[in-house]
Every structure is written in structure tokens, then in C-alpha cells.
Amino acid sequence: MRMELNNRPTSATPIVEQATESDIPDLIALWWDAFGGDFIRRIYPQSPDGRRWLERAFAKNFGPTPGPGVPETKCLIVRSPENNLPAAIAVYRIVPAGCDPAQCSWRARWPRFDDLPDVREDVVASFFDPMDKTHTYLLGNRGHVYLEVLGTMEAHRKRGYATALIKWGTDLADDLGVECYLDASPDGKPLYEANGYVEQDVSAVVNRKEGSSMVRPRKQLA
């Protein structure tokens, strides 16, 4: 789900900023472009129902700041210098120490979809449930920064946008003195390794045929 492939480079320094509710239509266009593979389209169908689910998800992300002990969401973007529209996205969950696992689960993070027939419970659960298991297994109730989503529109890849969005999260984790976590696609794994993430053995809790659960260790104080 997280990958950045070939396209022309640029020397411009990417600027990371927080998305706003007014960006939602463009964020959905970005999402559908960045995550256009058949497998991901089964989870996030490119249909009216799929659009409605993403609208709810982004609206939830831009909602009020949660209370103590609940993960906080940051939806970050890099805008295209050509048209100022979002060209790359990262969704971070900032998980406090001692967080109730139920508050960290995908069912808590994502909005309801029981009234959206195109979004299938079995498909969504088969995607998210294994990641929830490995996430809990590796991090427990320790505070951490969770990079759940990272994607770049095809026309804007290889410009350093993904690297800038990853660095935002690792800088935050270093400031907080916590670890980082993510689930990487095979294509995205080298980029995460270059930014300090290390693949973890999760065979005790799930048999994964592809993808990697990765942790970036907490920065050691001098």
C-alpha cells in the first residue's frame, strides 16, 4: 500500500503540511491514483460507496482532538508545485503510552461502512486484522508513532515527497522519545529501511506471505 516508483526527479524541497477538510475531494483523487492496484481496489473500491467511506474517514481524521489516552491522527500532504493540489499523503496515528488496544484497532480508526454494500466486511477485515495482530504484538501498550498510510500520485513520484513525509514522523518520534511502526509493501520496504525502520519477525502471531511489519527504534539519548 505504500510505494514510490519511477518518475522524473525534481530539486524542489518538498513542504509537508497538514491537510484540511476542504482538501477531502482532492485527497480521494490522490488516494485512488496512488493506490490503484487491483488488491487495494477491493479494499477501497473506486465507486460511490468507496468514495463515501473515504469521505467519512477523512472527516473523522479532521474531527476534534481526542481526549487523553486516545490516538491522535495527523493527515499530512505535500502539494504539487504545478497546481497546489495534494500530490502525496501520509496518515499518522500518534499512540500514547498505555492506550487501550480497542482504541488502537482499525475498527476504532476507520468509520462504519455497514450501509455501503461495495465495502465488504470480509475483505476489509482480512486486510486489517493481521496488521492489528502484529502491531499489538510488537508495540504492546508502549507509546509510538504509527505511519498507517503513505502514498504518492504516479505523476509526482521520485521527487522526495514520500521521504519528506516519513521524516516528519521520525522527527516527531525522536522529539517524543518513542518508536515508530508501519506495515510496508515489498516495494516500499527499501525506503523505510533507509529511514531507520527494521523488519520484525511476526511469525509467532501471523503467517504473512508478503509485506513487512517494521519498527524504527526509539532514538537513544546521548
Side-chain angles (χ1 to χ4, degrees), residues 32-184:
W32 283 357
D33 183 289
F35 308 123
D38 291 341
F39 173 71
I40 293 298
R41 285 190 180 197
R42 293 181 65 233
I43 303 157
Y44 305 100
Q46 296 192 10
S47 68
D49 282 354
R51 175 180 293 277
R52 183 60 184 141
W53 192 38
L54 287 175
E55 287 173 343
R56 291 176 183 175
F58 284 122
K60 183 173 183 176
N61 291 343
F62 300 134
T65 301
V70 179
E72 180 181 2
T73 297
K74 296 291 185 183
C75 182
L76 305 170
I77 56 173
V78 175
R79 295 186 182 275
S80 164
E82 287 87 6
N83 57 22
N84 204 42
L85 296 177
I89 184 172
V91 178
Y92 279 97
R93 315 291 186 178
I94 305 167
V95 182
C99 181
D100 181 346
Q103 293 286 350
C104 299
S105 73
W106 72 266
R107 294 182 186 279
R109 298 191 307 269
W110 288 83
R112 59 185 287 268
F113 53 85
D114 54 291
D115 59 333
L116 304 173
D118 285 358
V119 185
R120 292 175 47 190
E121 164 76 22
D122 59 331
V123 172
V124 175
S126 68
F127 176 67
F128 280 112
D129 282 351
M131 292 191 290
D132 270 8
K133 287 182 180 179
T134 59
H135 191 169
T136 301
Y137 173 69
L138 293 171
L139 276 300
N141 64 356
R142 301 194 301 275
H144 61 280
V145 173
Y146 172 30
L147 174 53
E148 182 168 17
V149 175
L150 179 67
T152 305
M153 297 181 82
E154 186 174 0
H156 296 277
R157 291 172 182 166
K158 287 298 180 183
R159 301 187 182 191
Y161 294 177
T163 297
L165 289 164
I166 294 170
K167 187 176 184 300
W168 185 96
T170 56
D171 285 350
L172 174 64
D174 289 346
D175 288 343
L176 296 175
V178 299
E179 301 155 282
C180 299
Y181 174 84
L182 58 79
D183 291 281

